[in-house]
Amino acid sequence: MATETAAPTPPAPKAADPARRTVRKPARRFNSGPILTTVTWVLALVFFSPVLWMVLTSFKQESAAASDPPIFFFAPTLDQYRAVLGSGAGSYFANSAIATGVSTILVVALAVPAAYAVSIRPVKKTSDVLFFFISTRMLPVVAVIMPIYVIAGQLKVLDNVWTLVVLYTSMNLPIAVWMMRSFFLEVPGEVLEAAQMDGAGLLKTLWRVLMPMVAPGLAATALICVIFAWNEFFFALILTAGKSATVPVFLVSQMTSEGLFLAQLSAASVLASLPVVIAGWVAQKQLVRGLSMGAVK
């Protein structure tokens, strides 16, 4: 009778020695938040320092503004602002307000249906149309100023603020169409299908459905047009004289043959910057929403 032999049992594993057990320490993470915040604030102050110095200089007397080394502690005065406002700056600001406001309204009125056509209802040559729009913006202004000047002279519309309105409208329209097109493309197609099923026509769909959804983008587009039109200098310098000159031309007129009056020029620059700053502050919520549309999908 064969005897069964039991298989040898493997030896039990040795228990780890507690003395030799190594404990891994968690890696220390470098917190770069405070350093990044500090660097950001330093860069912001560096870029903002010229604007701050301009504002401070506008409250100085001319002797203090031109002193070397510069004077940081002084008695503020409003004499420079009184001098600027008393030198006929009101007509320049009125011309800029008319040219900027009317041209922005025209740009928005023309860009919205154009952007709707190239985004919601595209055709075969949509890409060619878009390229034509943006190519007009690539053309240097100095290359077209002579024919524009000749045509304006023949039509007897030199030194006319409505000439600037037409030019500013044509200048800002391509950018407005491209911006509004990107905002219209963010509208879900289901919204348009629902509007069609409810029997909404083209105008009702555009005004009641699409415009409330792209209102932040419309505000951003309008503000960009305001900034470009308000700061435009070349057309206003060549095509206008004293009657229809704008604010940038007025700033240049502050540099006379008698010298450069830094305090008065700083006061004029502060006044020229206020309308754009106020417009940006009023529309900042819509502007941030409009510029961030399409950033997160």
Side-chain angles (χ1 to χ4, degrees):
M1 184 176 179
T3 60
E4 296 181 358
T5 59
T9 59
K14 294 182 179 181
D17 189 1
R20 296 182 179 180
R21 185 179 300 171
T22 58
V23 179
R24 293 184 179 180
K25 296 181 179 180
R28 294 183 178 179
R29 294 183 179 180
F30 180 71
N31 187 11
S32 61
I35 297 179
L36 182 61
T37 302
T38 304
V39 172
T40 303
W41 274 103
V42 170
L43 291 177
L45 291 176
V46 168
F47 283 104
F48 182 72
S49 57
V51 179
L52 178 61
W53 187 252
M54 177 186 70
V55 175
L56 293 177
T57 305
S58 66
F59 292 101
K60 294 180 179 180
Q61 297 290 348
E62 290 294 346
S63 58
S67 64
D68 189 16
I71 298 176
F72 295 95
F73 300 98
F74 57 92
T77 178
L78 296 176
D79 292 344
Q80 311 307 326
Y81 289 95
R82 296 190 188 97
V84 170
L85 295 176
S87 62
S91 61
Y92 295 91
F93 278 86
N95 292 331
S96 286
I98 294 173
T100 301
V102 177
S103 65
T104 301
I105 293 174
L106 291 176
V107 166
V108 171
L110 295 174
V112 168
Y116 176 85
V118 298
S119 59
I120 307 299
R121 306 293 183 188
V123 295
K124 293 183 179 179
K125 299 296 183 178
T126 297
S127 58
D128 296 337
V129 173
L130 291 173
F131 178 76
F132 172 75
F133 279 153
I134 203 64
S135 64
T136 59
R137 191 61 181 162
M138 299 176 186
L139 186 66
V141 179
V142 70
V144 297
I145 189 61
M146 183 56 68
I148 291 176
Y149 184 87
V150 173
I151 294 173
Q154 293 292 330
L155 297 177
K156 301 185 184 304
V157 291
L158 289 174
D159 199 15
N160 192 323
V161 68
W162 299 107
T163 304
L164 297 181
V165 168
V166 174
L167 292 176
Y168 292 172
T169 302
S170 61
M171 176 183 69
N172 290 327
L173 186 58
I175 297 178
V177 171
W178 272 80
M179 291 183 65
M180 291 305 302
R181 174 180 177 269
S182 64
F183 299 139
F184 276 127
L185 290 176
E186 297 300 322
V187 177
E190 292 79 4
V191 176
L192 299 177
E193 294 177 0
Q196 291 178 357
M197 292 180 64
D198 291 340
L202 175 60
L203 294 179
K204 191 174 183 179
T205 301
L206 184 61
W207 183 253
R208 295 286 184 87
V209 179
L210 292 178
M211 293 308 298
M213 300 182 67
V214 300
L218 184 63
T221 303
L223 185 58
I224 293 296
C225 294
V226 167
I227 293 174
F228 285 167
W230 186 269
N231 295 334
E232 200 284 322
F233 173 71
F234 197 72
F235 283 138
L237 179 65
I238 302 299
L239 301 177
T240 64
K243 185 177 69 173
S244 300
T246 57
V247 171
V249 179
F250 171 72
L251 294 179
V252 175
S253 67
Q254 298 299 304
M255 296 181 288
T256 63
S257 59
E258 299 176 359
L260 182 60
F261 299 95
L262 294 177
Q264 187 170 340
L265 181 59
S266 298
S269 300
V270 170
L271 292 176
S273 305
L274 278 179
V276 175
V277 173
I278 293 174
W281 179 75
V282 171
Q284 61 178 343
K285 184 182 295 185
Q286 300 293 331
L287 179 63
V288 172
R289 291 179 57 194
L291 294 179
S292 61
M293 286 181 68
V296 180
K297 297 207 174 192

